[in-house]
Amino acid sequence: MAAYIIRRILLMIPTLFGIMLVTFTITQFVPGGPVERLISQIEGNSLGGEVRASGNGLYRGNKGLDQEKIDQLKALYGFDKPPVERFLTMMKNYLLLDFGESYNHHKSVVKLVIEKLPVSMSLGLWSFFIVYLTCIPLGIKKAVKDGSKFDVISTSAILIGYAIPGFVLAILLIVLFGGGSFWNIFPLRDLTSDNWSELGLIAKILDYLWHMILPIISITVGSLAVMTLLTKNSFLEEIRKQYVLTARAKGLSENQVLYRHVFRNAIIPIITGFPGSFIAAFFTGSLLIETIFSLDGLGLLAYDSIVQRDYPVVLGTLYFFTIIGLIARLLSDLSYLVVDPRITFESVESE
């Protein structure tokens, strides 16, 4: 297994390099880069107001910026160097965990991401635990009662929830419970109230949960169907196998058959996705949900960075999250060994 892990880690290097290279190359051809945007702002402000003198000013009437000032702006953003040199320098800095500074926020990328993490962690972790803690028991019960009235009704309900887009459900919840047209019960901005620091411990917890109810419902409802049906189908497949009939013939009760024999085999495809989903939950950003509920998280940061051509944020977060994703995928593969000792990587290592 050690050889397999080393091989996978070594494969991460060209994968990461390729993703960064493709993304960096695309940014070189996207119009409206940071230099062009700043030039446009300077010229637009000058044209809209008074024209600055050409002696020491940046703008020279209808001639626009002089080339010297344009070169200074390019040097300011590092675009005075060839693309290959900029890419190699960027990758070298990333290896040293230096992700640069945001063009728009004038903060380091690391500090900016840390500031946005509480929102994304709240949305991701709550939805992760709710989905797993709800869908696994529900899926098991649906498998046991396959074809029953409970199975049909629950399947219809979760499929309806799956068919409703999260942002549509969010708007509906705001209309109903956020003071839109009916009841003004839940707040619609930030993770906490303005007076949160003045509250006691219990009051702080309740205030936080009060703010999170509507966003979490909007995110999780659509995710319930996939995990529930995956759990149901996995358990159904195991229940119909020969060893279950043998266990029943030996006189074992249904609970003993289900939880002693079926459970440990049926849960494998579900648990193996747990590490990746859990790690991703820390960094999950939902642009539409964050926008609708005025939550300043990673989803909104990513969108604004792309629109504003804030390349240090775009490339720095991409580098970091790609590493996290590759590690999560490796952990998901290794989790097979934990839940099913019969699985080994010997065949892979011998190739």
Side-chain angles (χ1 to χ4, degrees):
M1 185 178 68
Y4 174 79
I5 295 176
I6 294 174
R7 181 182 300 179
R8 286 291 300 272
I9 293 175
L10 292 176
L11 286 175
M12 290 180 185
I13 298 175
T15 302
L16 177 63
F17 186 87
I19 292 174
M20 296 304 302
L21 178 61
V22 170
T23 307
F24 180 85
T25 303
I26 292 175
T27 61
Q28 305 308 301
F29 297 97
V30 175
V35 175
E36 290 80 1
R37 293 177 67 86
L38 184 56
I39 292 175
S40 177
Q41 291 175 6
I42 294 173
E43 293 182 347
N45 291 337
S46 298
L47 288 171
E50 58 185 52
V51 178
R52 300 176 183 177
S54 59
N56 297 321
L58 291 175
Y59 188 71
R60 301 183 302 161
N62 59 2
K63 296 182 180 179
L65 290 174
D66 58 50
Q67 187 60 43
E68 181 182 355
K69 297 301 181 183
I70 293 177
D71 293 339
Q72 291 178 3
L73 292 178
K74 289 183 178 180
L76 177 65
Y77 289 106
F79 285 91
D80 57 327
K81 300 176 182 178
V84 175
E85 181 180 350
R86 286 190 283 117
F87 176 76
L88 295 178
T89 301
M90 180 189 73
M91 294 301 295
K92 178 183 177 181
N93 292 335
Y94 285 0
L95 289 175
L96 301 175
L97 301 181
D98 179 9
F99 298 101
E101 184 175 294
S102 168
Y103 294 154
N104 298 322
H105 299 274
H106 305 293
K107 297 179 180 178
S108 69
V109 174
V110 174
K111 183 177 180 180
L112 195 59
V113 170
I114 292 175
E115 289 180 356
K116 311 297 182 182
L117 267 181
V119 170
S120 299
M121 288 177 61
S122 296
L123 295 175
L125 289 177
W126 276 113
S127 60
F128 170 81
F129 285 116
I130 290 174
V131 167
Y132 268 85
L133 294 177
T134 301
C135 294
I136 292 179
L138 179 60
I140 294 174
K141 188 171 182 178
K142 285 173 63 63
V144 173
K145 296 183 177 295
D146 182 42
S148 66
K149 186 177 180 180
F150 169 80
D151 182 38
V152 174
I153 294 176
S154 59
T155 298
S156 301
I158 61 175
L159 289 180
I160 291 173
Y162 180 75
I164 300 176
F167 71 93
V168 174
L169 179 60
I171 295 173
L172 177 61
L173 292 175
I174 290 175
V175 171
L176 292 176
F177 305 109
S181 300
F182 294 90
W183 302 281
N184 187 10
I185 301 176
F186 298 101
L188 301 177
R189 178 178 294 276
D190 299 329
L191 294 178
T192 56
S193 301
D194 294 335
N195 64 335
W196 190 78
S197 59
E198 303 172 2
L199 302 175
L201 178 60
I202 302 299
K204 286 182 177 180
I205 295 175
L206 294 177
D207 181 76
Y208 166 75
L209 295 176
W210 183 43
H211 281 75
M212 292 304 301
I213 287 177
L214 294 188
I216 293 303
I217 292 176
S218 303
I219 291 178
T220 55
V221 167
S223 304
L224 296 177
V226 175
M227 183 61 66
T228 300
L229 295 179
L230 174 63
T231 304
K232 175 191 173 181
N233 294 332
S234 180
F235 273 80
L236 272 180
E237 182 181 356
E238 293 297 323
I239 289 173
R240 293 168 179 170
K241 289 184 177 180
Q242 184 64 40
Y243 74 88
V244 175
L245 297 176
T246 303
R248 287 171 177 166
K250 291 180 178 179
L252 296 180
S253 65
E254 286 298 318
N255 284 337
Q256 288 177 321
V257 172
L258 182 63
Y259 293 104
R260 185 181 299 178
H261 298 281
V262 174
F263 185 85
R264 63 183 181 183
N265 294 321
I267 205 68
I268 291 175
I270 301 165
I271 295 300
T272 50
F274 187 94
S277 300
F278 182 74
I279 294 176
F282 284 89
F283 309 103
T284 299
S286 178
L287 170 61
L288 293 176
I289 299 301
E290 290 177 12
T291 302
I292 292 172
F293 291 101
S294 299
L295 301 173
D296 191 9
L298 291 177
L300 198 56
L301 174 65
Y303 175 77
D304 288 339
S305 300
I306 294 173
V307 172
Q308 300 295 331
R309 306 295 191 268
D310 197 347
Y311 294 145
V313 177
V314 174
L315 295 171
T317 54
L318 176 65
Y319 178 87
F320 178 71
F321 294 148
T322 299
I323 292 178
I324 294 297
L326 292 172
I327 294 175
R329 185 59 183 270
L330 175 59
L331 292 177
S332 296
D333 291 344
L334 296 178
S335 64
Y336 276 97
L337 294 176
V338 177
V339 297
D340 190 355
R342 297 172 299 177
I343 298 175
T344 64
F345 296 109
E346 292 178 358
S347 60
V348 179
E349 295 173 5
S350 61
E351 290 179 359

